[in-house]
């Protein structure tokens, strides 16, 4: 699968502010960057650092007056299909140190609150079978609906509202998985078929020694997803984080399958 | 059913503070106060005002140094058994003005978040049948367990934790009912059989023109409950509210059935 | 001061929903309704009940397909200027029962958290002098800025963000006042000079035996304000509460001073 | 400074649960472990992995029936005194990638809400001078008081309550620093002079190319502190995290200065 990605961000700043962008598809074994350009119209040179877990990169820009960013890329995604249920369970003591942080509750994924629900509803399951059951439950229980949630919506809200957008689906699955002692992280990504076209958010669960992509919305196949960034929740993977205030003038994301 | 009630509160105050007590069983048609005494060892005279919805009373005291309160009462409770499912549905437009506030979300019962869950899980039900289904669901889904929750636990937390104490059961039922446009209030009460003996919290749902008592914990029959106070949630019905700080030296509640 | 008020609400409903409107200026001694009409294009007859504390009224409508409401009124406001600082302090024990609920923390005004701040910053003040100091502090500390807050913003958020809109100013003042054991309620209102024109929110503090209007934004004089509804916080005074979902097609509020 | 540390944890488990311990002083250049033993009475072998940022270690145990852990160590701490105000400001773009995560809001340190306060109160300051001003402000504004807060208290709560324990002081300082675009992390530590003796929590701010320890409670000098773990907030540095439920039978922490 080859994806063509085009992003345009156009923001205004009444006062100068530091801006952290995470919009570039990450170069990884299962997603190869064939072409890429990131152009920022800004007087200040940009500076890039690796993203969380060394995946992708974060790019510092300076918002002064107006900040326009254009990103274009072609990405070759080659990734075997994932059948979560095939993976065995890993005891907590056998987890690598680097994934332990992904067992912890986070701001939008307060997983400690969900232990009771997970124990009650999914008793007897473990490992990949449990992960699959959690993902199925999220997909079956939520309704995809724009406008239901906002930037402060947590997995607790979504759990009661039974509706949300991709971010909310990912948060809820991540929270449930961590409650079950399965490491889980959030992933921002480009995926074809997202409607309306936008940045997409999915989840990765650590099963049988590796991170396994899963899209609880069912919108995308894990074979077609190009990761941008990973992290504990939406906090870490936002496409733009601003220390200060900005006004959006325009924003567009286009992801197309190339034949 | 005649109940003998004995309460003793013993608190210390490093700095003087206003204290609002709600510990007296309310005089109501279905619960007659046969004997009652409330003694406060305090230099400041107490002052009483009616409680929410004119039910029971709130008693102002002054916490200075030490505040000891002793309450004793004998209450005759005569109340027909309630079968929620027998009541018909009241359209919102037919509700008396005084109960509309009990449709609103409140701090511990953020009912607006639960509309999605209620619609999805209880579609097709209304009125008393819906109320009964909600109460049954709460009772079946939660585990009664001391120490699970704290004074800041909301119905959203409880909904995910699937455990709590009487306060949490009441909050969750009230939140679900309001989400279904059934007015619901929290009730503090004395009830025999609560273990360990303590203040009890239950719910009242407005069905078919009157408030109907229901104990979602199943600990008490609505026939044996002596209401103390009603309100939107634990905020309104606390047995003691302090503007300032206090240390608890001792507290005991005893409720016995008299033959 | 005579105010001419025009409101138009236009909402769409994918599924039928109960809708509670609170848009009519309240008939009160200090604000006389000279002319008034509320027209709803709806197949279902509306039903009105009194608002909180018997002030104004709530109007039930049914959202089916589309709901358009038009409200027009001329209101004569005659109210003496309020100098908060002139009022003495009322001890908690002398408060009428009906105002005690307005000492309690509520969802958006978690006043119990603010006791430490109020004690530390406003030590030695009481009654009207304290109320004035709190209102002055809110006005001086916050910046009025649209888009800072949302429907879930609490006074705790606003206290840290130091910015908000009228709703947030009112919530913060109400929270601080209750923390100081001064009863405080939120008030929705029409006021000239609000820019952009919209529903306005202010506060009322109970001082010296009566509710005293105060606009912590400083946008309006308490002499020019026509109350619509009162309540514990934005929950109670919303101009529209929906049990279900709606889409806004249009909404406008115009308030003009008539000479 | 040589510290003698003794910890004893004694917990009971009704059902088997995974337990993550972080109680060992971290081996670091400025704190050398002279002697150390960690004994767990448990049938299951423990497993250790590195802590966050490669500092210290996390130790997996299995809570079955009863879990008793005893930790003893002698640690030599040699660390120059820190004068925060001496450090210059680092522009965000010059930060190493590994510290960027410590600019992000987290569950207990919702730093995005504090940007308004920091901008309003500390305008004109930057770098070490700003960090010092923030630490001084926290120390001067909060009152140390056990029982004020709980495990769910956030920096927003503490900011209004103006009181808390070491955890709350650290959370608030960390939130304020991040709001000012200064990377900040929470540190669990052993420190002499903490009264009552307990695990201690302090902060580290990234200034002038390194993490700088600061104890906003003023209880400990940064020269006497032995770090155990670092992380985004209390979530990451808890001495014990349990996937399941436990009852505390006993817990003691002793930290003594050796001559």
């Amino acid at each position: 699968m080859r994806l063509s990605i085009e992003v345009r961000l156009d923001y205004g700043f009444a006062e100068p502010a530091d801006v952290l962008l995470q919009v570039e598809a990450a170069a990884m074994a299962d997603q190869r960057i064939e072409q890429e350009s990131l152009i920022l119209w800004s007087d200040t040179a940009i500076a890039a650092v690796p993203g969380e877990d060394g995946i992708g990169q974060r790019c510092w820009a300076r918002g002064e007056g107006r900040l326009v960013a254009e990103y274009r890329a072609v990405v070759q995604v080659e990734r075997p299909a994932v059948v979560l249920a095939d993976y065995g369970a890993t005891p907590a003591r056998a987890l690598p140190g680097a994934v332990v942080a992904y067992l912890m509750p986070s701001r939008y994924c307060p997983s400690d609150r969900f232990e009771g629900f997970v124990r009650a509803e999914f008793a007897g399951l473990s490992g990949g079978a449990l992960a699959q059951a959690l993902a199925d439950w999220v997909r079956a229980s939520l309704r995809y609906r724009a406008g239901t949630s906002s930037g402060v919506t947590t997995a607790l809200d979504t759990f009661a509202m039974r509706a949300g957008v991709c971010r909310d689906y990912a948060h809820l699955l991540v929270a449930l998985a961590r409650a079950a002692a399965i490491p889980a992280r959030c992933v921002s990504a480009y995926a074809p078929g997202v409607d309306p076209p936008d940045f997409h958010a999915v989840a990765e669960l650590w099963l049988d020694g590796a991170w396994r992509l899963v899209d609880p919305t069912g919108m995308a196949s894990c074979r077609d997803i190009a990761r941008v960034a990973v992290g504990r929740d939406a906090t870490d993977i936002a496409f733009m984080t601003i220390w200060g205030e900005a006004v959006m003038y325009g924003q567009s994301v286009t992801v197309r399958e190339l034949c």
Side-chain angles (χ1 to χ4, degrees), chain A:
Chain A
M1 163 79 60
R2 289 172 72 230
L3 299 178
S4 159
I5 300 160
E6 292 184 22
V7 177
R8 189 168 194 279
L9 306 176
D10 183 355
Y11 282 77
F13 295 80
E15 291 173 49
D18 286 315
V19 176
L20 191 62
L21 294 171
Q22 289 189 98
V23 296
E24 299 164 87
M28 301 179 75
D30 57 0
Q31 51 185 58
R32 198 161 52 81
I33 313 302
E34 296 190 352
Q35 302 169 27
E36 186 180 40
S37 70
L38 175 61
I39 302 174
L40 276 85
W41 280 268
S42 161
D43 291 342
T44 314
I46 62 173
V49 292
E52 290 297 297
D53 297 350
I55 289 174
Q57 61 180 19
R58 285 164 160 158
C59 186
W60 285 104
R62 187 77 184 156
E64 293 196 80
R66 191 161 183 180
L67 181 67
V68 176
E70 282 185 10
Y71 173 68
R72 285 160 193 271
V74 174
V75 182
Q76 174 78 39
V77 180
E78 281 187 41
R79 187 179 296 131
V82 166
V83 181
L84 291 181
D86 289 350
Y87 299 114
T90 309
R93 76 195 51 256
L95 295 171
V99 310
V100 172
Y102 292 108
L103 286 174
M104 299 296 178
S106 63
R107 188 184 200 181
Y108 299 118
C109 305
S111 47
D112 45 351
R113 309 285 170 85
F114 286 96
E115 291 178 23
F117 171 70
V118 169
R119 259 199 301 269
E121 291 292 309
F122 300 94
L125 295 175
S126 69
L130 174 53
Q132 185 68 60
L134 296 174
D136 290 347
W137 188 90
V138 169
R139 186 167 174 190
S141 302
L142 301 191
R143 210 154 44 109
Y144 196 95
R145 202 151 46 77
T148 328
S149 59
S150 76
V152 299
T153 303
T154 73
L156 278 178
D157 297 318
T158 301
F159 184 59
M161 291 160 67
R162 298 288 155 113
V165 295
C166 58
R167 172 191 187 279
D168 305 305
Y169 278 73
H171 280 164
L172 183 52
L173 176 56
V174 163
L176 296 177
R178 290 181 193 164
I182 298 173
R185 64 187 185 189
C186 289
V187 181
S188 63
Y190 295 112
V194 173
D195 181 30
D198 204 344
F199 296 101
H200 196 43
V202 297
E204 278 188 324
L205 308 188
W206 180 270
L207 291 167
D208 228 3
W211 288 108
R212 313 294 175 176
L213 265 173
V214 53
D215 181 352
T217 68
M219 276 182 171
S221 154
C222 67
R223 306 189 64 167
D224 306 340
I225 290 171
R227 295 181 204 86
V228 172
V230 302
R232 298 199 189 181
D233 59 27
T235 307
D236 287 344
I237 63 171
F239 68 91
M240 185 160 61
T241 307
I242 300 166
W243 280 260
E245 295 148 25
V247 179
M248 186 185 78
Y249 294 140
Q251 181 172 313
S252 67
V253 175
T254 312
V255 181
R256 283 177 301 119
E257 269 188 61
L258 300 177
C259 47

